[in-house]
Amino acid sequence: MNKHKLTTLFNGLLFLTAIGIFTPVLASNSDEIILPIELMEQGMPVTSIQIQGNKIPLIFDNGASHSSIVLSKELVKKLNLKMTPTNKKSCFHSGDGKKTCLKVYTIPELKIGHMTMHDVSCELMDKLWGGHYDEGFIWFEAAKNGVIGLDLLRQFNVLVDYKTSRAILMKLGEYPHQYDMKNWIQVPFSNKFGITTVAKINGADVTLVWDTGANNSIMSSTAKIPAEKKSCAYKENPSCQSFETTTFMVGDKQLPKTEFFIQKNEIPFDGLIGSSFFKEHQVFFDFKNNMLFIKP
């Protein structure tokens, strides 16, 4: 397949494609890394990497905004994984506002799909999310092991396709050859809190983060959104409430109807678009141009 050079800013992609001026660079099969995705009972996506001959299941978590790879200390010790310590630390705030700092190491070599990566940044944890979500959470193997985070994923353009149980990674600036995205919804994002989108839900301004590591889409209880709330109570959370969007706008574009679960969170944004959204819609992230596509 011949590759055509990018000739304009991505914001004009759809218009220029329609009039025949712009042709996106399409990845060939050999350029793509296919990662099988398995959805666990809680809805979290799991894939695997290889380190020193060990296949390690991890959560596919593009909401881990300051991490490439996070591994449990117990796993590293059990598999006797060789890592190089650095003088760096990675700090973040969990959902309850508590600040956590993890020491940063370097993995000399890891394999993701058919691609080998060298000197990959890695943090070691005692327990995923600092152990703040023990109540009602089933600790499956990948959750015990760790995550593949945004710092690694943003080195590629990424197609998240739960419907075919896979994610596809390709070179920055390239697009998946087997998907026709001309009618997909185009949404800009910033890197403020990870993959961050400013939107209007039911007429109220909100700042949202796209997060495959969240099993549901979540809205902070402090967000003032006019909506009819309904009960989603269960044993561990008898006060659970949720709402479904009436209008969900980014600029003049209408996003698909989405259910948000209301939670008390000490986070500097309003909500998360989680795996429940990705189950219903294929999403392509263009990290070179800070633009994403959503299949309606």
Side-chain angles (χ1 to χ4, degrees):
M1 179 184 296
N2 292 328
K3 294 184 179 179
H4 303 272
K5 213 171 192 179
L6 291 175
T7 57
T8 188
L9 293 176
F10 193 75
N11 287 346
L13 184 148
L14 295 181
F15 171 74
L16 293 174
T17 299
I19 62 176
I21 296 176
F22 179 83
T23 304
V25 179
L26 300 181
S28 67
N29 283 329
S30 61
D31 292 332
E32 295 179 342
I33 300 169
I34 307 294
L35 297 181
I37 295 287
E38 179 185 2
L39 290 180
M40 306 309 293
E41 185 177 343
Q42 290 101 330
M44 290 188 181
V46 170
T47 190
S48 296
I49 61 171
Q50 287 189 44
I51 302 176
Q52 295 157 27
N54 299 285
K55 183 179 180 181
I56 302 174
L58 299 173
I59 295 176
F60 181 87
D61 186 3
N62 66 6
S65 59
H66 299 295
S67 301
S68 290
I69 298 289
V70 181
L71 297 176
S72 77
K73 294 177 182 178
E74 183 180 347
L75 178 76
V76 171
K77 183 177 180 180
K78 176 183 174 182
L79 299 180
N80 194 27
L81 299 179
K82 307 301 181 187
M83 298 187 181
T84 305
T86 72
N87 294 322
K88 299 177 182 178
K89 287 187 177 181
S90 175
C91 298
F92 60 92
H93 288 84
S94 58
D96 62 359
K98 182 179 178 181
K99 184 177 181 180
T100 301
C101 291
L102 302 176
K103 187 172 181 179
V104 178
Y105 293 76
T106 299
I107 303 172
E109 182 177 293
L110 69 78
K111 193 170 183 181
I112 181 166
H114 64 268
M115 179 181 180
T116 299
M117 302 181 72
H118 298 277
D119 298 325
V120 178
S121 175
C122 174
E123 292 110 51
L124 301 187
M125 62 178 186
D126 291 312
K127 201 167 190 180
L128 192 61
W129 307 300
H132 297 298
Y133 297 92
D134 279 344
E135 189 176 356
F137 186 80
I138 301 171
W139 286 92
F140 51 91
E141 182 182 4
K144 295 176 183 177
N145 291 344
V147 304
I148 299 173
L150 182 59
D151 277 357
L152 187 148
L153 295 174
R154 65 162 36 116
Q155 297 178 50
F156 306 89
N157 277 359
V158 179
L159 190 285
V160 180
D161 187 355
Y162 288 179
K163 292 181 182 294
T164 61
S165 301
R166 64 181 179 174
I168 304 175
L169 279 55
M170 61 216 73
K171 294 177 183 177
L172 288 174
E174 293 187 346
Y175 309 91
H177 72 281
Q178 66 273 60
Y179 293 79
D180 181 2
M181 297 189 299
K182 66 175 181 252
N183 294 320
W184 291 25
I185 303 166
Q186 183 182 342
V187 177
F189 64 87
S190 72
N191 299 305
K192 188 172 183 180
F193 303 113
I195 307 170
T196 308
T197 296
V198 176
K200 278 185 180 291
I201 292 180
N202 300 353
D205 293 328
V206 290
T207 299
L208 304 172
V209 172
W210 298 79
D211 185 0
T212 55
N215 54 350
N216 291 306
S217 295
I218 296 167
M219 189 64 63
S220 173
S221 57
T222 59
K224 301 187 186 311
I225 297 173
E228 182 180 347
K229 301 176 179 65
K230 62 182 181 180
S231 173
C232 50
Y234 56 99
K235 181 179 177 182
E236 290 81 11
N237 187 2
S239 61
C240 178
Q241 288 187 311
S242 69
F243 70 91
E244 194 170 65
T245 58
T246 303
T247 58
F248 189 178
M249 306 293 297
V250 175
D252 60 352
K253 297 180 177 66
Q254 173 75 40
L255 271 61
K257 186 178 291 186
T258 303
E259 183 179 18
F260 285 89
F261 290 78
I262 302 169
Q263 287 189 7
K264 292 181 179 180
N265 286 299
E266 299 294 331
I267 52 178
F269 46 87
D270 296 302
L272 300 169
I273 302 174
S275 265
S276 54
F277 185 94
F278 292 90
K279 285 181 188 177
E280 301 297 326
H281 307 282
Q282 296 152 320
V283 182
F284 175 69
F285 295 94
D286 178 357
F287 287 110
K288 182 176 181 180
N289 297 288
N290 286 0
M291 194 71 61
L292 63 85
F293 288 102
I294 303 164
K295 185 173 184 180

